[in-house]
Amino acid sequence: MMLQLPLVVTAQVDLVLLLVSLLALWTRLSRLSYPNAVVFDEVYYGQFVSLYMKRVFFIDDSGPPLGHLILAFGAYLGGFDGNFVWNRIGAEYPSSVSVWSLRLLPALCGALCVPLVYLLTLELRFSHLSALGAALLLLLENSLIVQSRFMLLESVLIFFVLLAFFSYLRFHNTPSSCFRYGWLILSGASCAAAVGVKYMGVFSYLLLLGVASLHTWNLIGDRGVSHLSVCVQCVCRVVCLLVVPVLLYVFWFYVHLSLLHRSGPHDQLMSSAFQASLEGGLSRITQGQPLEVAYGSQVTLRSSASQPVPCWLHSHKANYPIRYENGRGSSHQQQVTCYPFKDVNNWWIIKDPGRQELVVSSPPRPVRHGDVIQLVHGMTSRFLNSHDVAAPMSPHAQEVSGYIDFNVSMPTQNLWRVDISNREAESESWKTILSDVRLVHVNTSAVLRMTGVSLPDWGFRQLEVVADKLFKAQSSSLDWTVEEHRYGTSQEQKEREAELHSPTHIDVNRKISFWAKFLEVQWKMLTVKQEDSEHKYSSSPLEWITMETNIAYWLHSSTNAQIHLIGNPVSWGVANLSLLAYQLLAAVYLLRRRRGFKDLPDGVWSQFVCLGCVCVGGWVVNFVPFFLMEKTLFLYHYLPALCYLHLLSPALLEHTHTHLLRYVHTHTHTHTHTHCILSLSC
């Protein structure tokens, strides 16, 4: 067919949606550079942005890296080089820092939340008027405006959560077609992004999975859909809502670890292998070290249990006191401790019990799993020893010492069996950094470990090392890793001391896999917690509902101009009333339905239940978990839960007007009409 001219494109534009979107952009983006100073938690997030710009490794226990990546991308767009000291709130930004670009992406996400709420209300099958009401509540909520206008992450989290629910409901409401699965993929990606910004996003993700599971269960029970179609749809939902989020979650860390390849202040939280993979820091010491530990090797042994502060097996020319403060006696032999600093007294020599040499032979004889060795302290030549004497701070365990022969009935017991806990083969050799080794005392089968208890002043406040039975000790505290390593070449004590003081630098690269890094970073983020201190603006979850708290974000030093995070009393009151009203109404409906009275048609009832699942459920999963958290909490933690209530209020008002009041009016009119007929008949 011939192409007919003119070509005409017809488009429908929702002017109300366009208007609220423009207003949202105006309220969030106008004068974004004011104030030109660090505002509240910008001092916290800014440090991570600077580390990204400098490619320096860091770990943040408050959440995954996507949120920091988004903030860093905004800084990158503005040409930020990371050279700004984030040391105090109120510090003025220099002219070289583009404040607008630092705050752009959180503000943009905050602005887009307004049209998203409008569209989400429509997907919940409520009217445009309710959608406008929900959009206005978010648009005029001053706490959301304030939080969106600075380099903070709550607006980013809320944006991805709302986008996830909108995309899923659009998928669910769209008639069957291949193109609707694009919405499902977008929903899964948004869930991954929400979790990637803050771990609180996990609860909204689980809620969405619950809603999707109910819909999928109903699909399976629909006899009008073929078996093949049901299987295909179930597989697609699993892929889009489970596989895609997991892959993207891993991808956020891949980008994070690829960018941060330089040594930084958080290195000590990580294992020796991880530290050695970073440029600078430990890698400058460990690069090029011999891989296999051999007889005659000079090593430092780091405890795997010493987290977050590292410590190394250590000894020095000081003995245990003859008697402790509680009256118990000791062996009075040389102290063996765990020392949290690099020191020449951390060096030990691996010795073959059958030979006298303390140097590496040619060719080197590697130490393997199951071998029996002796450990000689490099600077004092004392053998690592243990015996049936109670440890100083842990009397249930054996004392570990540097053996001194006092000509008493205390024979030497200095043989240790090498047990490589992460070995792949029974004959595996002991490897620098890579091998996790347990040192088992041959005479007593006790295992060398660091208890974490500080010794008194006579032990210089260093950490206690004991030999404990395997079944009594936690597995995480048993492993030791060779961190620094070289092949010893000096047999004489004086020459050996000089050798131990000399540096060991050889430029050879050694890396660990991404998956090893990912798992270690993930584990540290979930287990290593920074100490939380009380803050004068911290608050409890119950104070958020009644809005009894606020946060002073910024104060001008001369004009006394201030920025506070505080909620809108009207909208917060409406939100609380809506939450209470929905619960009461749901209870009444359920009781009446149990008694056989169906006040609502099935379609309206499903709409009412879906509203509760999304809005009330969203509020619950974003509010209740804070009661179980042992961390410093602030008012802004409540904002994601508040958005669900702003979504609920107009929709519940429409439901009440359309169904409840109309039902009462119809029931009253019918009763009056019946009464008139009876009167006329009389």
Side-chain angles (χ1 to χ4, degrees):
M1 296 179 60
M2 295 293 293
L3 183 64
Q4 296 182 353
L5 298 176
L7 296 176
V8 179
V9 176
T10 303
Q12 290 183 334
V13 178
D14 189 334
L15 294 179
V16 175
L17 175 61
L18 181 62
L19 178 61
V20 296
S21 301
L22 293 175
L23 288 174
L25 290 170
W26 177 68
T27 56
R28 271 68 175 177
L29 295 177
S30 63
R31 299 187 64 197
L32 194 59
S33 298
Y34 179 83
N36 190 46
V38 178
V39 175
F40 201 63
D41 269 355
E42 285 186 340
V43 74
Y44 176 75
Y45 292 113
Q47 299 175 40
F48 300 127
V49 171
S50 289
L51 292 175
Y52 268 122
M53 295 300 106
K54 297 178 179 180
R55 304 294 190 266
V56 173
F57 173 77
F58 70 87
I59 184 170
D60 179 20
D61 66 341
S62 67
L66 180 61
H68 301 310
L69 283 168
I70 291 173
L71 297 180
F73 180 65
Y76 172 77
L77 293 177
F80 182 55
D81 58 5
N83 292 320
F84 178 75
V85 180
W86 308 85
N87 56 359
R88 65 180 180 88
I89 299 172
E92 293 287 331
Y93 287 113
S95 58
S96 59
V97 176
S98 175
V99 183
W100 189 85
S101 69
L102 290 177
R103 298 170 177 170
L104 173 62
L105 295 181
L108 193 60
C109 288
L112 292 176
C113 288
V114 176
L116 267 179
V117 163
Y118 182 94
L119 295 171
L120 182 53
T121 305
L122 295 180
E123 293 303 325
L124 287 169
R125 302 303 177 95
F126 288 91
S127 66
H128 284 78
L129 188 60
S130 294
L132 175 61
L136 289 176
L137 285 173
L138 254 71
L139 176 67
L140 303 176
E141 177 55 59
N142 41 277
S143 60
L144 292 174
I145 294 175
V146 169
Q147 197 70 15
S148 300
R149 290 178 57 86
F150 301 110
M151 191 174 57
L152 308 171
L153 290 181
E154 273 63 37
S155 61
V156 182
L157 172 63
I158 293 170
F159 167 74
F160 283 122
V161 168
L162 293 176
L163 181 61
F165 275 97
F166 163 70
S167 303
Y168 175 75
L169 291 176
R170 173 61 66 90
F171 157 79
H172 179 69
N173 296 332
T174 301
S176 297
S177 68
C178 296
F179 298 104
R180 75 182 188 130
Y181 285 97
W183 291 109
L184 193 61
I185 294 174
L186 179 59
S187 179
S190 301
C191 289
V195 176
V197 171
K198 282 196 171 186
Y199 277 129
M200 277 303 299
V202 169
F203 299 109
S204 293
Y205 175 44
L206 294 176
L207 176 64
L208 188 143
L209 286 180
V211 173
S213 299
L214 289 175
H215 290 161
T216 304
W217 186 251
N218 293 334
L219 171 69
I220 295 173
D222 188 353
R223 300 298 297 273
V225 182
S226 66
H227 297 320
L228 178 61
S229 179
V230 168
C231 291
V232 170
Q233 292 193 53
C234 289
V235 169
C236 289
R237 292 171 192 229
V238 169
V239 170
C240 295
L241 295 182
L242 290 177
V243 178
V244 169
V246 169
L247 293 178
L248 286 176
Y249 181 79
V250 174
F251 178 70
W252 310 145
F253 281 91
Y254 179 80
V255 176
H256 175 75
L257 294 173
S258 298
L259 290 174
L260 307 183
H261 54 80
R262 292 175 180 161
S263 174
H266 294 177
D267 290 11
Q268 65 176 12
L269 297 174
M270 313 308 293
S271 68
S272 301
F274 194 105
Q275 293 182 54
S277 70
L278 301 172
E279 295 179 8
L282 181 64
S283 66
R284 287 182 293 184
I285 302 173
T286 59
Q287 281 182 355
Q289 293 182 156
L291 177 62
E292 292 186 332
V293 176
Y295 292 103
S297 287
Q298 299 170 355
V299 300
T300 62
L301 291 165
R302 171 173 164 165
S303 171
S304 298
S306 55
Q307 299 294 348
V309 178
C311 82
W312 293 267
L313 188 66
H314 177 93
S315 188
H316 42 241
K317 291 182 178 180
N319 295 353
Y320 290 110
I322 297 176
R323 289 197 177 275
Y324 301 123
E325 291 83 350
N326 58 9
R328 288 191 297 110
S330 77
S331 65
H332 194 48
Q333 295 188 1
Q334 184 168 298
Q335 297 173 16
V336 173
T337 65
C338 209
Y339 189 50
F341 300 97
K342 296 284 188 180
D343 189 85
V344 70
N345 282 314
N346 297 345
W347 284 95
W348 298 81
I349 302 170
I350 310 296
K351 180 181 177 298
D352 185 347
R355 299 191 179 188
Q356 295 300 319
E357 294 83 3
L358 294 179
V359 296
V360 176
S361 61
S362 181
R365 293 188 300 121
V367 179
R368 300 187 181 277
H369 170 73
D371 286 358
V372 174
I373 64 169
Q374 292 172 315
L375 284 165
V376 181
H377 188 239
M379 298 300 293
T380 64
S381 298
R382 300 296 182 190
F383 284 80
L384 185 70
N385 189 78
S386 185
H387 37 221
D388 191 18
V389 175
M393 309 305 293
S394 306
H396 62 277
Q398 296 175 185
E399 176 192 85
V400 174
S401 64
Y403 183 76
I404 303 175
D405 188 0
F406 287 121
N407 294 320
V408 296
S409 57
M410 192 174 288
T412 177
Q413 299 182 43
N414 55 21
L415 298 179
W416 301 85
R417 188 176 69 254
V418 176
D419 185 340
I420 303 176
S421 58
N422 62 342
R423 65 187 181 279
E424 296 180 357
E426 288 302 314
S427 61
E428 182 169 323
S429 60
W430 186 356
K431 295 182 176 62
T432 305
I433 292 178
L434 303 178
S435 296
D436 294 329
V437 170
R438 297 177 182 179
L439 296 172
V440 183
H441 192 232
V442 172
N443 298 80
T444 62
S445 298
V447 181
L448 186 74
R449 76 180 184 98
M450 188 271 298
T451 64
V453 181
S454 295
L455 297 171
D457 291 338
W458 55 258
F460 310 101
R461 296 292 172 181
Q462 296 176 15
L463 301 178
E464 181 189 41
V465 171
V466 303
D468 208 347
K469 299 297 183 181
L470 184 61
F471 62 87
K472 291 183 179 179
Q474 296 180 358
S475 60
S476 61
S477 64
L478 301 177
D479 294 337
W480 298 83
T481 304
V482 170
E483 190 169 88
E484 297 178 66
H485 175 215
R486 63 178 144 202
Y487 285 162
T489 58
S490 303
Q491 181 67 32
E492 297 298 325
Q493 177 66 21
K494 292 295 183 182
E495 296 177 359
R496 189 163 60 245
E497 290 180 12
E499 185 178 10
L500 293 174
H501 277 96
S502 65
T504 57
H505 289 181
I506 307 176
D507 292 330
V508 179
N509 192 22
R510 185 185 301 156
K511 295 182 179 180
I512 60 175
S513 68
F514 161 72
W515 289 108
K517 281 184 159 186
F518 168 74
L519 293 175
E520 182 173 347
V521 169
Q522 192 65 51
W523 177 250
K524 298 298 182 186
M525 291 176 63
L526 295 175
T527 57
V528 176
K529 297 298 179 183
Q530 299 176 0
E531 293 185 4
D532 291 318
S533 57
E534 284 296 322
H535 194 284
K536 64 178 179 179
Y537 291 114
S538 62
S539 53
S540 66
L542 290 178
E543 292 177 303
W544 304 340
I545 299 179
T546 55
M547 212 171 63
E548 296 178 12
T549 180
N550 70 90
I551 305 174
Y553 268 13
W554 174 77
L555 172 66
H556 196 280
S557 57
S558 57
T559 65
N560 204 34
Q562 301 180 36
I563 296 176
H564 284 255
L565 179 72
I566 189 169
N568 186 319
V570 175
S571 62
W572 284 48
V574 170
N576 292 335
L577 288 175
S578 299
L579 177 64
L580 180 61
Y582 183 92
Q583 296 177 64
L584 292 175
L585 196 56
V588 171
Y589 281 154
L590 288 172
L591 288 173
R592 288 180 59 81
R593 289 176 75 87
R594 185 63 178 168
R595 296 293 298 167
F597 300 101
K598 288 193 174 182
D599 302 310
L600 301 175
D602 290 340
V604 177
W605 172 248
S606 298
Q607 180 194 44
F608 182 79
V609 171
C610 184
L611 177 68
C613 289
V614 174
C615 298
V616 179
W619 178 84
V620 169
V621 300
N622 283 278
F623 177 67
V624 173
F626 285 111
F627 286 96
L628 308 176
M629 294 183 183
E630 296 180 357
K631 60 180 291 186
T632 305
L633 300 176
F634 297 94
L635 179 63
Y636 57 73
H637 287 120
Y638 185 61
L639 296 182
L642 179 68
C643 289
Y644 285 101
L645 296 187
H646 285 341
L647 185 64
L648 172 68
S649 301
L652 184 62
L653 184 61
E654 178 186 335
H655 173 84
T656 304
H657 176 267
T658 305
H659 301 287
L660 193 61
L661 297 181
R662 179 174 296 180
Y663 170 79
V664 173
H665 175 74
T666 304
H667 181 75
T668 304
H669 177 75
T670 304
H671 177 75
T672 304
H673 182 68
T674 305
H675 179 73
C676 292
I677 292 175
L678 289 173
S679 299
L680 288 173
S681 62
C682 290

